[in-house]
Amino acid sequence: MPLEFMFLGAVAFFAGMVDAVVGGGGLIQIPVLLSHYPQVAIPTLFGTNKLSSIAGTSAALWRYARAVSIPWAVVVPAALAALAGAWLGAAVVAWLPREAMRPLVLVMMLAVAIYTFQRKDFGHAETRELTPADRWRVMAFGAVIGFYDGFFGPGTGSFLIFGFVRLFGMDFLRASASAKLINVATNVSAIGFFASHGPLLWTLGLVMAVCNLAGAHVGTWLALRRGTAFVRQAFLVVVSVLIAKLAWDMVKGG
């Protein structure tokens, strides 16, 4: 048990570090949890993953908030909309096949990667100021992303960052910082939903949470020290890995 916790703690540390920069921590933690606990119910493992992730995401948000100007007036309403959307998305899983989302998400991720690769200046600097009208647009954006995170999930952080850059004119660093508040909200919603539908692995989740938090501190430090260009590069790496994973899952699934 101690060796297993040490290994999963190391996984959580790395996931927290990556997630703090551009999201994608679930790509690291969930496959490891599924392989280590094949007999444990999926809601239990997904909830345990969220329990770990929320610690690192909250720590990253705290550090970003001290160094980056987050537009709270529009991001907070978006987070509340995302919280409600994530709960609804998790509830809809019982009625709709999640696997139908995989081809659509793969196409969307390819579009995001191609657009970002082609636009060399994309996200390097802010392109406009936010307006009061953006509050309603960002709430709708938060609700849609929250629903997606609750229903399917992979790439939520990437979609958030891309959306904040493309739709609201943020640079990559500010977009990553703003995305963390949405992530916290969707994680809270997911933990509430999964905990109400089965037991979580609380001891493991708390151990991984501490390690995830430590990784988030390192990841945030790297992002703040290296700046927007580093976040953009990391974003492209994570999106490319997600595209490869989605494609492999489709091929493996027939």
Side-chain angles (χ1 to χ4, degrees):
M1 186 69 71
L3 287 177
E4 186 174 73
F5 275 29
M6 287 176 62
F7 170 72
L8 292 172
V11 169
F13 177 89
F14 182 63
M17 184 173 65
V18 172
D19 201 70
V21 182
V22 287
L27 290 173
I28 301 167
Q29 288 191 161
I30 289 177
V32 175
L33 285 170
L34 289 172
S35 64
H36 260 65
Y37 301 100
Q39 306 303 320
V40 177
I42 297 296
T44 296
L45 295 181
F46 278 24
T48 303
N49 169 67
K50 292 295 186 182
L51 184 63
S52 168
S53 298
I54 195 172
T57 304
S58 300
L61 173 63
W62 178 74
R63 288 204 65 183
Y64 275 127
R66 298 174 63 194
V68 178
S69 176
I70 298 176
W72 300 105
V74 295
V75 176
V76 169
L80 295 175
L83 190 150
W87 185 279
L88 180 61
V92 169
V93 170
W95 289 280
L96 295 176
R98 283 164 34 110
E99 292 306 308
M101 288 288 293
R102 202 178 302 277
L104 175 61
V105 174
L106 179 59
V107 171
M108 291 170 63
M109 275 291 163
L110 281 168
V112 165
I114 291 170
Y115 186 91
T116 307
F117 270 118
Q118 288 182 336
R119 296 283 300 274
K120 301 300 182 183
D121 61 340
F122 182 66
H124 273 288
E126 294 185 11
T127 56
R128 69 178 181 87
E129 293 289 329
L130 292 171
T131 67
D134 283 320
R135 182 175 302 176
W136 301 106
R137 295 175 62 210
V138 80
M139 282 182 67
F141 175 64
V144 170
I145 295 296
F147 179 86
Y148 169 76
D149 192 28
F151 180 69
F152 190 61
T156 297
S158 300
F159 284 133
L160 278 170
I161 292 172
F162 182 83
F164 278 132
V165 175
R166 180 66 181 85
L167 301 176
F168 302 102
M170 298 182 186
D171 60 47
F172 265 102
L173 186 60
R174 195 180 189 198
S176 182
S178 299
K180 295 298 172 283
L181 183 59
I182 312 294
N183 286 143
V184 169
T186 56
N187 283 344
V188 167
S189 186
I191 289 170
F193 181 86
F194 289 127
S196 66
H197 286 72
L200 304 186
L201 304 177
W202 290 100
T203 302
L204 174 62
L206 291 174
V207 169
M208 292 181 69
V210 172
C211 298
N212 194 276
L213 187 150
H217 275 291
V218 175
T220 312
W221 176 81
L222 281 171
L224 293 172
R225 183 177 178 85
R226 302 287 296 277
T228 296
F230 171 74
V231 177
R232 182 182 187 275
Q233 292 166 2
F235 172 82
L236 286 170
V237 170
V238 169
V239 168
S240 299
V241 170
L242 181 58
I243 289 170
K245 182 181 184 304
L246 288 169
W248 171 252
D249 288 345
M250 287 179 60
V251 171
K252 188 172 63 173

PDB file of all heavy atoms in Angstrom, residues 18 48 74 99 103 108 158 179 182 186:
ATOM      1  N   VAL A  18       1.377  19.626 -15.001  1.00  0.00           N
ATOM      2  CA  VAL A  18       0.892  19.837 -16.371  1.00  0.00           C
ATOM      3  C   VAL A  18      -0.421  20.609 -16.354  1.00  0.00           C
ATOM      4  O   VAL A  18      -0.619  21.564 -17.122  1.00  0.00           O
ATOM      5  CB  VAL A  18       0.718  18.487 -17.098  1.00  0.00           C
ATOM      6  CG1 VAL A  18       0.040  18.692 -18.446  1.00  0.00           C
ATOM      7  CG2 VAL A  18       2.055  17.800 -17.268  1.00  0.00           C
ATOM      8  N   THR A  48     -12.668  10.219  -7.369  1.00  0.00           N
ATOM      9  CA  THR A  48     -11.371  10.279  -6.685  1.00  0.00           C
ATOM     10  C   THR A  48     -10.384  11.126  -7.481  1.00  0.00           C
ATOM     11  O   THR A  48      -9.610  11.900  -6.912  1.00  0.00           O
ATOM     12  CB  THR A  48     -10.808   8.859  -6.495  1.00  0.00           C
ATOM     13  OG1 THR A  48     -11.769   8.069  -5.757  1.00  0.00           O
ATOM     14  CG2 THR A  48      -9.497   8.885  -5.731  1.00  0.00           C
ATOM     15  N   VAL A  74     -16.274  38.798 -15.160  1.00  0.00           N
ATOM     16  CA  VAL A  74     -16.865  37.929 -16.174  1.00  0.00           C
ATOM     17  C   VAL A  74     -16.571  36.457 -15.909  1.00  0.00           C
ATOM     18  O   VAL A  74     -17.363  35.581 -16.280  1.00  0.00           O
ATOM     19  CB  VAL A  74     -16.372  38.306 -17.597  1.00  0.00           C
ATOM     20  CG1 VAL A  74     -16.858  39.683 -17.988  1.00  0.00           C
ATOM     21  CG2 VAL A  74     -14.862  38.222 -17.706  1.00  0.00           C
ATOM     22  N   GLU A  99     -19.772   7.656 -25.866  1.00  0.00           N
ATOM     23  CA  GLU A  99     -18.833   7.333 -26.935  1.00  0.00           C
ATOM     24  C   GLU A  99     -19.160   8.064 -28.232  1.00  0.00           C
ATOM     25  O   GLU A  99     -18.284   8.232 -29.090  1.00  0.00           O
ATOM     26  CB  GLU A  99     -18.822   5.816 -27.189  1.00  0.00           C
ATOM     27  CG  GLU A  99     -18.239   5.027 -26.029  1.00  0.00           C
ATOM     28  CD  GLU A  99     -16.854   5.529 -25.640  1.00  0.00           C
ATOM     29  OE1 GLU A  99     -15.992   5.645 -26.533  1.00  0.00           O
ATOM     30  OE2 GLU A  99     -16.646   5.819 -24.465  1.00  0.00           O
ATOM     31  N   PRO A 103     -15.701  11.031 -31.808  1.00  0.00           N
ATOM     32  CA  PRO A 103     -15.320  11.545 -33.137  1.00  0.00           C
ATOM     33  C   PRO A 103     -15.459  13.066 -33.237  1.00  0.00           C
ATOM     34  O   PRO A 103     -14.605  13.729 -33.838  1.00  0.00           O
ATOM     35  CB  PRO A 103     -16.304  10.836 -34.081  1.00  0.00           C
ATOM     36  CG  PRO A 103     -16.754   9.627 -33.333  1.00  0.00           C
ATOM     37  CD  PRO A 103     -16.781  10.041 -31.889  1.00  0.00           C
ATOM     38  N   MET A 108     -12.847  18.517 -33.385  1.00  0.00           N
ATOM     39  CA  MET A 108     -12.702  19.836 -32.774  1.00  0.00           C
ATOM     40  C   MET A 108     -11.268  20.073 -32.304  1.00  0.00           C
ATOM     41  O   MET A 108     -10.711  21.168 -32.467  1.00  0.00           O
ATOM     42  CB  MET A 108     -13.688  19.969 -31.608  1.00  0.00           C
ATOM     43  CG  MET A 108     -15.137  20.030 -32.040  1.00  0.00           C
ATOM     44  SD  MET A 108     -16.297  19.901 -30.666  1.00  0.00           S
ATOM     45  CE  MET A 108     -15.898  21.369 -29.729  1.00  0.00           C
ATOM     46  N   SER A 158      -8.123  22.535 -22.359  1.00  0.00           N
ATOM     47  CA  SER A 158      -7.681  23.038 -23.659  1.00  0.00           C
ATOM     48  C   SER A 158      -8.772  23.854 -24.333  1.00  0.00           C
ATOM     49  O   SER A 158      -8.504  24.920 -24.914  1.00  0.00           O
ATOM     50  CB  SER A 158      -7.271  21.865 -24.566  1.00  0.00           C
ATOM     51  OG  SER A 158      -6.218  21.129 -23.992  1.00  0.00           O
ATOM     52  N   ALA A 179      -9.044  30.062 -16.794  1.00  0.00           N
ATOM     53  CA  ALA A 179      -9.610  28.718 -16.931  1.00  0.00           C
ATOM     54  C   ALA A 179      -9.611  27.972 -15.609  1.00  0.00           C
ATOM     55  O   ALA A 179     -10.462  27.093 -15.385  1.00  0.00           O
ATOM     56  CB  ALA A 179      -8.826  27.932 -17.982  1.00  0.00           C
ATOM     57  N   ILE A 182     -12.895  28.168 -13.686  1.00  0.00           N
ATOM     58  CA  ILE A 182     -13.920  27.308 -14.290  1.00  0.00           C
ATOM     59  C   ILE A 182     -13.657  25.853 -13.908  1.00  0.00           C
ATOM     60  O   ILE A 182     -14.587  25.097 -13.583  1.00  0.00           O
ATOM     61  CB  ILE A 182     -13.928  27.453 -15.829  1.00  0.00           C
ATOM     62  CG1 ILE A 182     -13.925  28.921 -16.243  1.00  0.00           C
ATOM     63  CG2 ILE A 182     -15.112  26.704 -16.414  1.00  0.00           C
ATOM     64  CD1 ILE A 182     -15.139  29.688 -15.877  1.00  0.00           C
ATOM     65  N   THR A 186     -16.208  23.192 -12.022  1.00  0.00           N
ATOM     66  CA  THR A 186     -16.644  21.912 -12.586  1.00  0.00           C
ATOM     67  C   THR A 186     -16.169  20.738 -11.728  1.00  0.00           C
ATOM     68  O   THR A 186     -16.866  19.719 -11.621  1.00  0.00           O
ATOM     69  CB  THR A 186     -16.139  21.741 -14.034  1.00  0.00           C
ATOM     70  OG1 THR A 186     -14.713  21.868 -14.071  1.00  0.00           O
ATOM     71  CG2 THR A 186     -16.748  22.795 -14.939  1.00  0.00           C
TER      72      THR A 186
END
